[in-house]
Amino acid sequence: MIERREREGPLMKNSPQSLLISRIITTVIIGVLAGCIIVFYFPNDFFVSQSITSIRHLPVAVPKTQENSAESESSDRVNMLKSEFVALLSDKNAELKKQVRELTEGKDQAEKKLLALSKQEKAGPFGTVKALRTNPTVAPDEFLNPRLANLLEKIAVKREIIVTLANSNVKAMLEVWFTNIKRVGIPNYLVVALDDEIAKFCESNKVPFYQRDPDNDIDTVGKIPNGGAVSGLKFRILREFLQLGYSVLLSDIDIVYLQNPFDHLYRDSDVESMSDGHNNMTAYGYNDVFKDHGMGWSTNVYTTRIFVYNSGFFYIRPTIPSIELLDRVAARLSKGNAWDQAVFNEELFHPSHPGYDGLHAAKRTMDIYLFMNSRVLFRTVRNDANLSKLKPVIIHVNYHRDKLPRMKAVVEYYVNGNQDALKPFPDGTPR
Ligand SMILES: *[C@@H]1O[C@H](CO)[C@@H](O)[C@H](O)[C@H]1NC(C)=O
Ligand SMILES: *[C@@H]1O[C@H](CO)[C@@H](O)[C@H](O)[C@H]1NC(C)=O
C-alpha cells in the first residue's frame, strides 16, 4: 500500500496529464516551425554537413573584391544564425527527451490513468449499468519458477488447474481424492507433495505431482507437522501459480469429485468459493435481526450476515486483487496462531474502515448443492427426497472428523448407487 503511494507521488506532481502532453505538443510545433524557417531561408545549406560547409570557407584563389567580402560577411552572419538555430533546436530536443523520459517513468500510472480517462462513459439508463467485476489477469512471469512453469504448461487445461497439498499423514485420503478425479476424467490436477513419501506415492500411481525446491526455506515450514504452518504455506505456494498466470482451483484432500468442476464455474470473480453455509440464506447472505430490548421502538437491529467461505475449496483467478488476498492472508498467518479460514474470510469481507484498507476483490459463492459441504449432505440432502436426487460436483467432508469412512460412503452412495451407504452415519461426528 505504502509503496504504491510512493510510486504514484512523482506523477501526482506532474498532473494533470494533459498539461504534460500539451507541453510536448508545443515543443514539437516549435521545432517544426524552426525547421520550416531554416529551410525557407537556406534551402540548400542547412542540412549540409559541417565539414562541407567549412570547405566552402577555405581561402580560394579569388581576388578579394568588395562583393566577395560582403558575401563572406553575410555568410558569417548566416553561420551564426544557423548555429543559434541548431542550439535552439538541440535545447528543445533535450527538453523533449526529458519530458518523454518523465512520461516513460510514470508510464504504468500514466497508462492506467489514460485508460481510465478513455473509458470514461456516461451511466446508462436505469437498470442497465453494471460494474466491472472480472478483473484483468496479470502478465505471466515464467522466469519466476521455470520448473513449475514447464510442468503447468504440460498439465493445465486452458490455464486452469486443480491443486492440493499433501503430506504422508493424509495418504489414504489422497488416494480417494485422486482415484475419483481420475474416474471423472479430469486431466488438469496437481499434488504439491510436501514429503518424499507422498512424491513416491504419486509417482507410482501416475499422479501429477510437484515437489518444491528443498533449498527453499518455505519448504522446511511445510515439513513442520502443524496445520497452521501448512495453511500459511498453501497461500504462498498458490501465489506462484497465479504469478505464472494460472487460475487455480485450490482443493483440500477430504473432497470427493463426482463431476468435472471446471464445467460448473462462472469465472467472473477474483474468488469463487464453496460455502460453509447449509441453505440459501446462510450461504448467500441474510439479515440477522439483533434484538436490543432497551431501545423500545427500535428494538430490532438489522445485520448483514453470510456464513464463511470454505478456504479448502475455492477457484482463484490470477489477478492483482487475488494475489493481494493471498499476500494478506499469508502475512497474517505468519504472525501468529490464527485459523487460516477465519483470516481468509476477514480479508475478503471486512470493509475499509478507519485505520484499515479493505481488499477490493470480486467474490462469488458457489452453488451449495453442486459444491456441497458434508453438513448439507448429512443433515439435509440425504433426508430430502428431491435434493438427494441431485448429482453434486464435489462433496467436501469438511464438517466431520471421521473423514475417510465418510468419503468412502459418499463414493458408495453417488458412484456405486448404494442408497443405504450414508445411513450408518450420525449427522455429526460425535465429540
Ligand atoms: C435457493 O437458491 C436457488 C438459486 O438461487 C434457487 O433456484 C432455489 O429456488 C432456492 N431455494 C429456496 C428453497 O429458496
Ligand atoms: C419435491 O418436489 C415436489 C415437486 O416440486 C414437491 O411437490 C415436493 O414437496 C418436494 N418434496 C420435498 C421433500 O421438498
Side-chain angles (χ1 to χ4, degrees), residues 287-357:
N287 171 18
D288 190 40
V289 181
F290 171 86
K291 299 271 184 190
D292 186 352
H293 294 289
M295 285 301 291
W297 178 70
S298 53
T299 293
N300 289 347
V301 182
Y302 302 103
T303 68
T304 291
R305 301 282 189 100
I306 186 172
F307 276 29
V308 292
Y309 277 5
N310 190 288
S311 64
F313 189 87
F314 58 89
Y315 175 77
I316 185 161
R317 294 179 60 249
T319 64
I320 292 298
S322 297
I323 293 172
E324 188 184 350
L325 170 68
L326 298 178
D327 287 0
R328 281 169 173 246
V329 174
R332 275 187 57 194
L333 291 177
S334 72
K335 280 190 200 127
N337 222 357
W339 182 27
D340 70 319
Q341 179 158 289
V343 173
F344 179 75
N345 277 274
E346 284 164 16
E347 293 299 335
L348 260 183
F349 290 102
H350 283 189
S352 300
H353 55 255
Y356 178 79
D357 285 333

Side-chain angles (χ1 to χ4, degrees), residues 352-369:
S352 300
H353 55 255
Y356 178 79
D357 285 333
L359 181 75
H360 289 242
K363 48 234 171 220
R364 166 180 281 280
T365 311
M366 289 174 168
D367 187 309
I368 53 168
Y369 298 117

Side-chain angles (χ1 to χ4, degrees), residues 138-153 156 159 161 163 165 190 192 194 210-219 232-250 314 316-319 322-327 330:
V138 297
D141 183 3
E142 280 95 356
F143 299 109
L144 177 82
N145 185 340
R147 191 164 60 92
L148 181 59
N150 279 336
L151 187 61
L152 291 176
E153 183 80 30
R159 298 191 84 83
I161 188 152
V163 174
L165 275 68
L190 182 71
V192 176
L194 296 177
Y210 169 73
Q211 245 186 321
R212 289 182 59 82
D213 185 350
D215 296 333
N216 192 314
D217 57 341
I218 309 173
D219 204 41
L233 178 74
K234 173 168 96 179
F235 295 96
R236 284 166 195 271
I237 291 178
L238 258 184
R239 189 190 214 275
E240 280 186 26
F241 286 79
L242 264 50
Q243 270 184 286
L244 294 174
Y246 289 85
S247 297
V248 174
L249 185 57
L250 189 280
F314 58 89
I316 185 161
R317 294 179 60 249
T319 64
S322 297
I323 293 172
E324 188 184 350
L325 170 68
L326 298 178
D327 287 0

Side-chain angles (χ1 to χ4, degrees), residues 397-406 429-430:
V397 188
N398 60 320
Y399 267 104
H400 297 90
R401 259 195 89 158
D402 46 343
K403 293 177 186 301
L404 188 59
R406 286 189 193 243
T429 305

